[in-house]
Amino acid sequence: MDVIERIKSQLSSNPVLLYMKGTPDFPQCGFSATAVRALNAVDARFESVNIFEEPELREALKQYSNWPTYPQLYVNGELIGGCDIIVEMYNSGELKKVISSVSAQG
Amino acid sequence: MSPQEVEQLIRTGMPGAQVKVESDDGTHFSAVIVSEEFAGKRTLQRHQRVYATLGRLMGNEIHALTMQTHTAEEWRALQQATQQQ
């Protein structure tokens, strides 16, 4: 499968998906760690992709999303943002709303 | 890179913007950008607009850029709110 197809497949099969440096248990970057903490704080059930293990995808996704850094959070296939935006949405309560709307869909 | 270089790149890419960039280590930067171009745009789109001015430097020479992006009106409101506290 070509890398863009793989990205699309990951996005369509995971309603909440975090592309990050490292894993939720062992984040390898402070910004990725912050993103995981925010998601955990709103009880999000999410999947993650460690971009350190996917060098080709790491470059391709930056082009695909027009977003040059990691982490990148996607909900229902749509880019929500990076660490700054995740924290901003956590503080405003919007992150919880977005995550709850996904959980409600089952 | 120096914060001044990053500032200059953003100003060049977003004419008329007021830009202030700071950095402790030359790879992680934080920026405040005030521009009318942000009007009607969500935070995600605002950040994408700024990232576009930095091209391939983002994620390479520039490891991270933390941003506050405001229109002039939002910026004035924020300043007033801060002064009242």
Side-chain angles (χ1 to χ4, degrees):
Chain A
M1 205 189 299
D2 117 311
V3 66
I4 297 296
E5 290 304 314
R6 203 142 52 84
I7 289 169
K8 286 180 180 169
S9 160
Q10 289 171 344
L11 290 175
S12 62
S13 49
N14 298 290
V16 183
L17 183 58
L18 184 70
Y19 290 92
M20 63 179 290
K21 295 181 173 177
T23 64
D25 288 337
F26 295 100
Q28 292 176 49
C29 162
F31 298 102
S32 288
T34 300
V36 168
R37 274 202 303 275
L39 286 170
N40 284 338
V42 298
D43 296 322
R45 282 169 57 185
F46 65 98
E47 294 298 320
S48 66
V49 173
N50 179 358
I51 51 109
F52 283 143
E53 291 176 352
E54 301 261 11
E56 192 192 5
L57 185 147
R58 178 182 181 174
E59 289 310 311
L61 182 61
K62 292 183 192 177
Q63 306 290 326
Y64 179 82
S65 61
N66 194 23
W67 194 266
T69 57
Y70 292 94
Q72 296 186 18
L73 176 65
Y74 291 80
V75 173
N76 290 332
E78 188 190 348
L79 176 63
I80 298 297
C83 182
D84 282 359
I85 292 178
I86 296 169
V87 169
E88 182 184 297
M89 289 175 69
Y90 173 76
N91 288 332
S92 73
E94 202 182 338
L95 187 65
K96 189 161 188 62
K97 273 190 221 161
V98 170
I99 295 298
S100 305
S101 74
V102 173
S103 312
Q105 288 162 16
Chain B
M1 289 185 75
S2 73
Q4 290 74 25
E5 287 174 279
V6 177
E7 261 177 31
Q8 194 53 49
L9 285 165
I10 297 173
R11 277 201 201 99
T12 305
M14 296 186 66
Q18 293 181 56
V19 186
K20 179 69 190 159
V21 176
E22 295 178 350
S23 177
D24 292 331
D25 61 7
T27 54
H28 298 78
F29 298 84
S30 64
V32 179
I33 302 143
V34 179
S35 167
E36 287 318 300
E37 280 193 53
F38 293 142
K41 292 200 172 84
R42 293 183 296 138
T43 308
L44 176 82
Q45 297 165 320
R46 294 177 178 196
H47 288 204
Q48 281 174 326
R49 178 68 188 89
V50 178
Y51 282 144
T53 67
L54 300 170
R56 288 196 52 79
L57 292 170
M58 269 319 302
N60 292 300
E61 282 86 346
I62 303 171
H63 291 193
L65 176 66
T66 300
M67 285 183 249
Q68 292 180 52
T69 50
H70 306 287
T71 63
E73 194 180 335
E74 290 165 358
W75 181 245
R76 273 194 300 273
L78 200 64
Q79 297 303 100
Q80 281 172 6
T82 311
Q83 280 166 15
Q84 281 165 9
Q85 276 171 10

